[in-house]
Amino acid sequence: MIRERKSEKVPSSLLTTSQYDGEDVKAQLLEDQHEKCYICERKLGTDFEIEHLKSQENYSKLQQDWSNLFLACGYCNRKKSSSFDDNLCPLDTNIEDEIEQRIDFSRNKASFTTAINDAPHQNTVRMLHVFYNGKQKMRVIKEQRFFDEAKQKMNRFLEKVNTFLMEPTSANRALVADELSIEQEMLGFKYWVIRDNHLETEFKDEIVWNKH
């Protein structure tokens, strides 16, 4: 997860109808989120649903609140449901700075940690842990496939970073930089690969994303 940015112009259907999932809402969110799920950052394609940061079940008055609406993939939307209403708001938090996001290849799990001990940070960490690692000792099939996809993508990114570290040519740098563009997937995880390898200065212009 990373910080998100939302258009200041509220889609007209939110103001003129009782719907929250109008075509104009979907179109604007696809543009704002660079066609990625705001939680897992995977490209959405046709698999997208309107996700309420604070659920309809518990916060019905926010059903049409523009600041409460995001696009998520079906997996993340159903997993989140009404179980994680007290999450960080990605519009006003640099999530990639405040939550460490890593793939622990040796332990075959995703790792999420934060030094900030308040409910929104801790709740978001718990949510991400459940999505990637499951609630039980063994992941169910969808959880395993979700994690395996993330692991494969991050392994490919690590190969490019390691190649650049061994041969810091402009061509190799460009391969890493391309992986860090705002349209790319898994930027929260990639951010911590860059930090762990002390490459923040080298790629400082690429890792700003939606920060102000």
Side-chain angles (χ1 to χ4, degrees):
M1 287 185 78
I2 63 170
R3 186 176 187 134
E4 297 288 345
R5 181 174 293 176
K6 189 185 293 285
S7 169
E8 294 182 2
K9 183 179 180 181
V10 178
S12 61
S13 67
L14 294 176
L15 304 173
T16 59
T17 74
S18 60
Q19 298 178 331
Y20 64 82
D21 58 351
E23 292 299 293
D24 57 342
V25 175
K26 296 171 186 174
Q28 189 60 60
L29 287 173
L30 282 167
E31 180 180 341
D32 291 347
Q33 295 177 206
H34 302 276
E35 303 199 2
K36 297 185 294 183
C37 171
Y38 86 101
I39 297 174
C40 70
E41 297 186 75
R42 292 184 301 175
K43 284 291 186 181
L44 291 167
T46 57
D47 175 31
F48 59 82
E49 300 172 2
I50 299 290
E51 208 287 305
H52 292 79
L53 183 67
K54 293 189 180 295
S55 68
Q56 299 180 76
E57 181 178 335
N58 296 325
Y59 295 87
S60 59
K61 291 183 179 180
L62 297 178
Q63 187 183 58
Q64 285 188 285
D65 189 314
W66 178 228
S67 65
N68 194 47
L69 303 179
F70 295 86
L71 279 188
C73 66
Y75 176 87
C76 287
N77 189 33
R78 295 184 187 100
K79 275 280 190 183
K80 180 174 175 289
S81 186
S82 59
S83 300
F84 297 96
D85 281 336
D86 195 19
N87 281 358
L88 290 168
C89 177
L91 298 176
D92 56 26
T93 307
N94 295 332
I95 296 178
E96 65 271 26
D97 283 321
E98 298 181 12
I99 295 180
E100 299 183 24
Q101 306 166 53
R102 297 182 176 90
I103 298 293
D104 186 337
F105 290 91
S106 64
R107 298 173 64 195
N108 199 40
K109 64 179 294 187
S111 171
F112 305 97
T113 59
T114 180
I116 304 174
N117 191 27
D118 61 18
H121 285 83
Q122 296 299 322
N123 208 46
T124 305
V125 164
R126 281 194 297 272
M127 180 190 74
L128 292 170
H129 176 81
V130 168
F131 284 21
Y132 284 89
N133 301 315
K135 290 183 178 180
Q136 310 300 324
K137 290 184 179 180
M138 295 287 291
R139 297 182 183 94
V140 299
I141 291 174
K142 281 190 176 181
E143 292 167 349
Q144 188 63 54
R145 291 172 69 90
F146 181 76
F147 173 75
D148 287 344
E149 181 182 343
K151 184 169 67 172
Q152 290 165 6
K153 289 174 181 176
M154 287 309 299
N155 193 44
R156 290 195 291 269
F157 179 64
L158 278 165
E159 288 176 357
K160 293 180 180 181
V161 170
N162 288 333
T163 298
F164 173 71
L165 289 170
M166 290 186 292
E167 297 182 53
T169 63
S170 58
N172 287 336
R173 186 195 184 283
L175 293 176
V176 176
D178 181 66
E179 288 277 351
L180 296 173
S181 70
I182 188 65
E183 293 82 13
Q184 294 285 1
E185 300 176 304
M186 313 283 294
L187 296 180
F189 286 104
K190 290 175 179 178
Y191 181 76
W192 283 93
V193 170
I194 295 299
R195 289 192 60 167
D196 289 342
N197 286 279
H198 309 292
L199 292 170
E200 304 100 300
T201 301
E202 178 68 36
F203 293 100
K204 61 181 174 62
D205 294 332
E206 284 82 6
I207 61 175
V208 292
W209 302 315
N210 294 319
K211 296 175 183 176
H212 297 291

